[in-house]
Amino acid sequence: MGPAVPLPIHRLAGICILAAALAACADATGPTLDDVRGHRVTWSAQHLSDYTYTYEVTRFFIKWEDQQLRIDVRNGAVASAVLAATGESVSDTPSDFPTIDGLFDRAAQAARDHTLRDIVFDPRLGYPVRRDLAGPPDASGSVFAIQLHPVP
């Protein structure tokens, strides 16, 4: 085997342009961290620390997947997580479930990891009502947070 022959400069430039174009396409297809941050400002302006919302996760192979949970948040922390259909407690550790701020944290991390395929925000309160995540079969699915009700 002889010495390595360098690529002609025009061919190397073409490869670099192609690589840059592919990288730009990959970044443009999903929501950005700025999208998440912008909506978090809207949510934070609500100053809600006491609320309930319906939470559902699909396709993550967890015991409560595809079941709606009612998450009760008090003073900015999850106080309870129960099955919406029965009222049965889902966990002895409610903090295992996210507040809306926790959902924003998870969405921001997914945007940084390039696993956030899509995100939809509540038009009035700004919180994420649906996140679609990409990954291997056991790490792809959707997370829903709907029917948020402030508690007086």
Side-chain angles (χ1 to χ4, degrees), residues 2-3 11 19 44 73 75 80 90 99 104 113 117 127 140-141 146:
R11 189 158 184 209
S44 295
V73 177
N75 296 317
S80 67
V90 180
T99 62
F104 272 107
D113 295 342
R117 263 193 351 230
Y127 69 94
S140 292
I146 55 172

Side-chain angles (χ1 to χ4, degrees), residues 43-118:
W43 164 252
S44 295
Q46 308 303 315
H47 303 291
L48 293 175
S49 60
D50 296 320
Y51 54 89
T52 62
Y53 75 95
T54 303
Y55 180 70
E56 185 176 352
V57 176
T58 63
R59 298 187 55 215
F60 283 101
F61 304 109
I62 50 180
K63 68 181 180 181
W64 39 266
E65 81 172 310
D66 296 323
Q67 297 183 62
Q68 290 188 340
L69 308 179
R70 189 174 61 246
I71 307 295
D72 187 34
V73 177
R74 296 289 181 262
N75 296 317
V78 176
S80 67
V82 300
L83 292 173
T86 66
E88 179 185 343
S89 180
V90 180
S91 173
D92 292 335
T93 313
S95 61
D96 289 344
F97 296 91
T99 62
I100 296 298
D101 286 325
L103 291 174
F104 272 107
D105 293 342
R106 292 175 183 187
Q109 186 59 51
R112 282 190 289 274
D113 295 342
H114 304 286
T115 58
L116 185 60
R117 263 193 351 230
D118 194 19

Side-chain angles (χ1 to χ4, degrees), residues 12-24:
L12 184 58
I15 291 171
C16 289
I17 290 170
L18 179 60
L22 289 173

